[in-house]
Amino acid sequence: MNTILKKSSSFFDVYERRPGSDKLTTTYCPGCGHGVLHKLIAEALDDFGVREKTIFISPVGCSVFAYYYFHTGNVQVAHGRAPAAATGIKRAHPGSIVISYQGDGDLAAIGTAEIIHAANRGEGITVFFVNNAVYGMTGGQMAPTTLIGQKTMTTPRGRSVENDGYPIRMSEIIATLDAPVFVERVMIGDTKSTMHTRQTVRKALKLQIEKNGFSFIEVLAACPSQLKMTPSRSKLWVKEVLEKRFPLGVCKDISGEFEGRKFTRKDVKNDELHDILDLETAQVDLEKISRFQDKPINEEIKVAGFGGQGVLSLGTVLSEMGMRHNYEVSWLPSYGPEMRGGTANCSVKISKKKIGSPLVANPTILIAMNRPSLDKFENDVVSGGLIIYDDSLIDRKPVRDDVDIIPIPATKLADELGNTKAANMVIVGALITVKEIMSQQIILDSLGDVLKRKNLVELNQKAILRGAEYIKNLKK
Amino acid sequence: MAKQFLKGNEAVVKGAILAGCRAYYGYPITPASEIAHAAAMYMPLAGGTFVQAESEVAAINMVYGASAAGERVMTASSGPGISLKQEGVSYCAGAELPCVIVDIVRGGPGLGNIAPEQSDYNQVVKGGGHGNYKVLVLAPNSVQEMCDFGMLAFDLADKYRNPVYVLTDGFIGQMMEPVEFPEPVTTIPEKTWAVKGTDETTNNFITSIDLDPDDLERHNQKLQQKYAIIEEQEQRAEEYRTDDAEIVLIGYGIISRIIQTVVDELRDKGVKAGMLRPITLFPFPKKALEKLTKTTQFFLTVEMSNGQLVDDVRLLVEGRKPVHLYTRMGGNVPSTKEIHDEVMKLMRLS
Ligand SMILES: Cc1ncc(C[n+]2csc(CCOP(=O)(O)OP(=O)(O)O)c2C)c(N)n1
């Protein structure tokens, strides 16, 4: 390109951000591909009239100071993370034009995960990937794209397959993914190839402007300084050597049938948040709970059984009901792998006093729904405490003689009601009848608010009544 | 009184959304995963965005991008993931990007376990990434505070253009308690510095690089001035029965609830005990501690880490009063009895 072009208006007229006295030229070496690619991008932004909407991401590498030059919004990011930052930016402003610009160390080494996944999500961004087969910025070390036999500061005898593997072809990898719309490898070399690159840059940006499509443009470019060649020799090297390993051409193009990325953000008003966030809250009816107000209640409950017996929800129901009686309450699960398969347990505290640790080490009440739970926790129960256990499943009696013991065939009673899963609510009914710390009516009335599965409310109400009845019969 | 019963990990997300946060980027990890679950559920409904990132490294850089674009944005993780986020947090601090990071601490080092610990104190409070930076750290001790501090964190982050952590342990994240939700915030201060893809913002740029040593030193000094203002203005602590306390127990997060119970038990026995609970870990509540240093006989710091909090206590007390340490690690939470016994032992010795 021998014609002298006017400086694109997508560049600053004067590079004020550049330190030192030279505010008119770029920091790039003569013959460097970055400078040319910058121009092609700036010119396209001009022509499409999108400079103001554009946010340019400067990577770590020789183009770290792209923000000296582009008169667009600018964000400089950590090494390799441009596609991740681009994701955050584009989703904040889906209507903006986001350019993620990266070198081969940045994109194909340290940032491999970020580019693959941004591409795979099909973020509505345009990626320009400058492959110059070397780390320019840090002084000429091996890049993932360095050629076999190529000497760099860290491959002083030439890159060897045995030690370093092969030069990685990113465009081909990206093209295997479903979401990318347009993937092409181009070159900055002779006039002809550069003019083609110009077309490709424009096509990629247009795709974002019109359809928010993800495109990935790999640009083979020279780094004369690190290749230790003259600018013209290095261009020749790109064409005659680099291109052999990295064939030019379109790797993927579905821009014709691509209908556009459908990513939108709803406009939600503050007064809608209450419903959206499920902030429905429980009301406490002080009159109905007045008879519990003077009791010095301080229960520490351990609920334990198999996963699937509803142990955790037994605990949440008790605590939520406690909350509706104006007690201080807390619930803590035994979380993580411990819960899978084996026994599940949770700690529930219901108290008139502020609750310290939510963990129950020495329960005042143990609810054991299977044998391992009884074995594990029986000895922890405080003297004078209570053990409620499901004697339809547990084949031994507790041995403690300093605690109250109540066997209840919860599973059998639930089966009679038609659903084994209601065994936990049979126990709730039994417990509040033994302990008289809550109103049965309040529990029955608010069960619908507490249970997630609304179709089970009626069954669970019956189960609570059945548990209560069982205890009353025992007392007779 | 109207309350909802929910997990700490859910409350922090609801609080964040009420505070105007509309973007969540994160990677799952126990015991913080319910934060991602809740964000995945509610962010899109509230007009926001949720991405399960490919790693914590990616997640924090998505946060960086969203914050640069002017969004109120959050992420969450636990120890191993926080280690990975440190790179991005340093960049956020350097570029002065506000964001909120929730750390539900688990047992370490390495993969450790998923039980509660407080061993991320140093890596969070001391700014675990590279460079001369600090982050604000809020330490909730209840589900209510997970909501409240989730909101407060965004105000502080925007006010100081700085990352803010909500640091707590697996118990506070996993447990359920009643919460009263406040009203949503109505006005979020305009971020004129952000890059928004608009004509007015094309002169804005977000960066942390500055090759000129003098310029970068000036930037660092400016940051230190900001941290000094934060230290002056944002110290928060809760004192419990400290008025006439001769023994002051110090602890944050779940520990503060346990030692509060211990204080009551000791008082019942006639022992003049009190509690100092740091609510902000940076800034460390120096003013409150300084005052107590004059009146107490000794301090006992209780933590679920190897003496990380106690370093800050000792730095301030400077040997004027004995500062003792009681620790549990590996996911064990000390019982009230253990702490009680420790106090009695120290009293016999002193
Ligand atoms: C985490 C991290 N590791 C290493 C570096 C040092 N570093 C700066 S640029 C660079 C390589 C850049 O090479 P490339 O992406 O090929 O871009 P080029 O300079 O060739 O344009 C490296 C390793 C860094 N800044 N951050």
Side-chain angles (χ1 to χ4, degrees):
Chain A
M1 287 199 291
N2 293 327
T3 35
I4 297 170
L5 299 167
K6 184 183 159 293
K7 196 187 250 178
S8 157
S9 64
S10 292
F11 286 135
F12 287 108
D13 281 338
V14 179
Y15 303 140
E16 295 292 353
R17 290 175 188 156
R18 185 177 173 180
S21 55
D22 180 357
K23 308 276 187 202
L24 293 175
T25 64
T26 69
T27 38
Y28 299 115
C29 310
C32 168
H34 284 305
V36 179
L37 183 58
H38 281 23
K39 274 187 203 143
L40 298 179
I41 295 170
E43 184 198 293
L45 297 180
D46 280 2
D47 292 352
F48 298 145
V50 293
R51 178 187 71 83
E52 295 84 352
K53 284 168 66 176
T54 300
I55 300 172
F56 192 101
I57 304 178
S58 308
V60 171
C62 283
S63 44
V64 65
F65 293 123
Y67 67 87
Y68 287 176
Y69 317 120
F70 283 93
H71 191 186
T72 57
N74 279 285
V75 180
Q76 199 289 317
V77 300
H79 198 18
R81 318 296 177 218
T87 300
I89 296 168
K90 184 74 185 196
R91 284 168 184 250
H93 303 298
S96 64
I97 302 303
V98 176
I99 295 174
S100 181
Y101 187 107
Q102 301 186 261
D104 44 46
D106 199 73
L107 181 141
I110 195 167
T112 319
E114 284 78 5
I115 188 59
I116 295 279
H117 290 278
N120 195 46
R121 288 188 302 268
E123 299 293 341
I125 62 173
T126 309
V127 177
F128 292 109
F129 165 42
V130 175
N131 177 356
N132 58 12
V134 74
Y135 283 17
M137 178 82 158
T138 38
Q141 298 85 2
M142 180 185 73
T145 49
T146 290
L147 299 177
I148 301 301
Q150 187 183 336
K151 285 188 180 163
T152 69
M153 297 304 282
T154 49
T155 53
R157 287 163 295 278
R159 178 177 186 157
S160 80
V161 168
E162 290 70 25
N163 200 57
D164 311 308
Y166 295 88
I168 195 164
R169 294 192 187 96
M170 287 308 294
S171 291
E172 285 79 351
I173 292 175
I174 299 295
T176 64
L177 303 172
D178 294 298
V181 181
F182 177 43
V183 183
E184 183 175 348
R185 183 182 291 115
V186 295
M187 172 171 96
I188 287 172
D190 54 11
T191 312
K192 193 165 154 249
S193 65
T194 306
M195 287 315 285
H196 177 74
T197 300
R198 177 173 177 273
Q199 291 308 324
T200 303
V201 166
R202 297 170 82 86
K203 174 169 174 172
L205 284 170
K206 201 133 206 187
L207 194 57
Q208 183 178 172
I209 295 165
E210 286 172 359
K211 297 189 189 174
N212 265 323
F214 177 93
S215 51
F216 181 95
I217 309 305
E218 176 172 347
V219 182
L220 302 185
C223 176
S225 305
Q226 301 306 345
L227 287 170
K228 301 189 176 51
M229 293 176 188
T230 62
S232 50
R233 269 274 297 129
S234 69
K235 274 186 192 164
L236 220 58
W237 181 83
V238 171
K239 189 165 170 48
E240 286 170 0
V241 184
L242 196 60
E243 198 200 319
K244 293 281 173 308
R245 172 70 195 179
F246 299 103
L248 302 186
V250 174
C251 291
K252 181 178 182 194
D253 184 359
I254 53 165
S255 56
E257 65 256 41
F258 180 67
E259 288 178 352
R261 177 170 168 80
K262 291 171 196 68
F263 175 82
T264 48
R265 304 250 316 234
K266 274 202 289 181
D267 187 21
V268 172
K269 303 275 170 301
N270 259 358
D271 54 14
E272 299 170 63
L273 285 179
H274 186 90
D275 286 346
I276 288 173
L277 294 180
D278 273 329
L279 297 186
E280 213 36 62
T281 47
Q283 298 297 330
V284 175
D285 188 335
L286 290 174
E287 212 161 292
K288 280 195 193 145
I289 61 169
S290 57
R291 68 193 160 102
F292 303 101
Q293 291 301 297
D294 304 326
K295 293 191 174 183
I297 283 154
N298 191 11
E299 299 295 355
E300 307 206 351
I301 308 170
K302 179 72 92 183
V303 190
F306 288 123
Q309 275 185 309
V311 165
L312 299 184
S313 58
L314 197 168
T316 55
V317 166
L318 280 179
S319 353
E320 286 219 38
M321 295 306 175
M323 182 176 85
R324 283 166 166 76
H325 289 76
N326 236 359
Y327 298 127
E328 300 281 337
V329 292
S330 70
W331 172 95
L332 180 77
S334 63
Y335 53 84
E338 207 188 321
M339 283 167 57
R340 278 167 222 134
T343 64
N345 75 75
C346 63
S347 297
V348 173
K349 292 198 176 183
I350 300 178
S351 177
K352 285 266 155 189
K353 290 192 295 186
K354 201 170 165 193
I355 291 166
S357 169
L359 182 69
V360 172
N362 297 107
T364 60
I365 301 172
L366 169 65
I367 297 171
M369 297 191 59
N370 67 2
R371 168 90 192 248
S373 302
L374 183 63
D375 292 349
K376 190 169 172 191
F377 296 113
E378 180 178 355
N379 284 335
D380 297 339
V381 179
V382 297
S383 191
L386 168 70
I387 296 177
I388 299 186
Y389 71 105
D390 186 340
D391 68 344
S392 52
L393 294 181
I394 301 175
D395 57 359
R396 76 164 176 90
K397 291 192 171 70
V399 295
R400 293 275 297 268
D401 57 10
D402 59 339
V403 297
D404 288 336
I405 289 169
I406 298 182
I408 174 167
T411 303
K412 188 165 149 273
L413 296 176
D415 282 340
E416 287 166 12
L417 289 171
N419 193 334
T420 310
K421 284 205 151 61
N424 57 354
M425 291 304 127
V426 171
I427 291 191
V428 169
L431 177 65
I432 57 161
T433 312
V434 179
K435 277 291 184 182
E436 295 188 337
I437 53 174
M438 297 182 206
S439 139
Q440 191 189 76
Q441 197 54 48
I442 290 183
I443 294 182
L444 292 175
D445 289 349
S446 42
L447 205 58
D449 300 336
V450 170
L451 294 179
K452 294 233 158 54
R453 310 248 310 263
K454 303 297 171 211
N455 56 332
L456 294 181
V457 172
E458 209 186 307
L459 169 76
N460 282 310
Q461 285 167 334
K462 279 189 194 146
I464 288 171
L465 289 169
R466 188 69 190 87
E469 181 191 74
Y470 185 86
I471 297 297
K472 281 178 199 146
N473 288 338
L474 278 186
K475 283 185 181 166
K476 275 181 202 160
Chain B
M1 187 209 63
K3 290 184 171 179
Q4 195 183 51
F5 190 69
L6 79 172
K7 275 194 174 196
N9 281 344
E10 269 178 80
V12 74
V13 172
K14 292 189 178 185
I17 291 175
L18 291 173
C21 172
R22 292 291 181 277
Y24 183 98
Y25 299 98
Y27 189 84
I29 184 169
T30 313
S33 289
E34 295 84 357
I35 302 182
H37 304 172
M41 175 63 84
Y42 296 117
M43 280 297 173
L45 297 177
T49 183
F50 168 90
V51 175
Q52 177 169 331
E54 55 272 25
S55 70
E56 290 85 352
V57 175
I60 190 70
N61 283 284
M62 292 171 185
V63 166
Y64 180 98
S67 178
E71 281 217 272
R72 283 197 160 180
V73 55
M74 72 182 291
T75 184
S77 191
S78 187
I82 297 294
S83 297
L84 285 183
K85 285 186 201 290
Q86 293 290 14
E87 175 200 64
V89 178
S90 165
Y91 277 76
C92 287
E96 296 192 88
L97 291 178
C99 59
V100 173
I101 304 150
V102 185
D103 181 0
I104 309 294
V105 184
R106 61 187 240 171
L111 212 45
N113 64 23
I114 57 169
E117 249 194 13
Q118 297 183 318
S119 49
D120 282 1
Y121 184 93
N122 280 348
Q123 80 151 336
V124 168
V125 179
K126 306 298 174 182
H130 57 287
N132 304 307
Y133 77 91
K134 293 190 172 175
V135 291
L136 287 100
V137 185
L138 300 170
N141 79 350
S142 65
V143 177
Q144 180 69 54
E145 285 190 350
M146 286 293 271
C147 167
D148 296 346
F149 292 1
M151 296 185 76
L152 173 64
F154 284 95
D155 286 339
L156 292 172
D158 281 353
K159 182 171 174 190
Y160 295 104
R161 282 192 62 178
N162 209 70
V164 176
Y165 271 92
V166 175
L167 178 77
T168 195
D169 51 82
F171 270 12
I172 303 293
Q174 290 296 322
M175 70 190 283
M176 291 174 96
E177 279 186 317
V179 173
E180 270 178 85
F181 285 100
E183 290 299 308
V185 298
T186 45
T187 44
I188 296 170
E190 183 65 26
K191 294 175 183 173
T192 52
W193 48 265
V195 171
K196 301 175 188 172
T198 57
D199 204 0
E200 309 80 68
T201 61
T202 50
N203 286 321
N204 291 350
F205 67 107
I206 304 296
T207 188
S208 63
I209 186 173
D210 199 328
L211 292 187
D212 183 86
D214 290 337
D215 284 347
L216 188 57
E217 186 171 49
R218 266 192 293 280
H219 176 60
N220 267 282
Q221 280 162 347
K222 189 185 124 202
L223 292 179
Q224 306 317 307
Q225 281 159 14
K226 174 166 88 175
Y227 305 146
I229 293 170
I230 291 171
E231 285 214 60
E232 185 50 41
Q233 298 193 347
E234 303 298 346
Q235 292 182 28
R236 288 170 171 78
E238 178 189 347
E239 287 183 50
Y240 182 69
R241 302 181 92 164
T242 50
D243 280 352
D244 59 343
E246 293 167 355
I247 298 158
V248 173
L249 291 100
I250 304 179
Y252 69 97
I254 190 66
I255 291 292
S256 64
R257 298 172 58 137
I258 301 170
I259 60 185
Q260 187 167 346
T261 311
V262 175
V263 165
D264 286 341
E265 289 172 6
L266 289 166
R267 287 273 174 177
D268 289 348
K269 281 191 174 174
V271 178
K272 287 187 177 165
M275 174 187 81
L276 174 66
R277 169 200 164 209
I279 291 175
T280 50
L281 300 177
F282 176 79
F284 196 73
K286 291 179 179 171
K287 293 177 197 170
L289 182 56
E290 179 62 36
K291 193 188 75 195
L292 295 174
T293 303
K294 304 209 171 74
T295 54
T296 188
Q297 283 173 8
F298 67 81
F299 294 101
L300 173 62
T301 300
V302 183
E303 52 183 289
M304 298 191 295
S305 45
N306 63 339
Q308 303 189 15
L309 169 70
V310 78
D311 282 351
D312 277 336
V313 177
R314 286 182 175 144
L315 205 58
L316 194 104
V317 175
E318 282 187 305
R320 286 174 289 168
K321 294 285 163 65
V323 177
H324 302 286
L325 171 65
Y326 187 77
T327 70
R328 293 299 304 267
M329 289 175 279
N332 283 315
V333 180
S335 66
T336 48
K337 182 172 180 309
E338 284 172 69
I339 301 170
H340 191 117
D341 291 351
E342 182 71 12
V343 173
M344 298 314 275
K345 189 183 89 190
L346 291 168
M347 281 177 53
R348 278 195 299 279
L349 293 176
S350 64

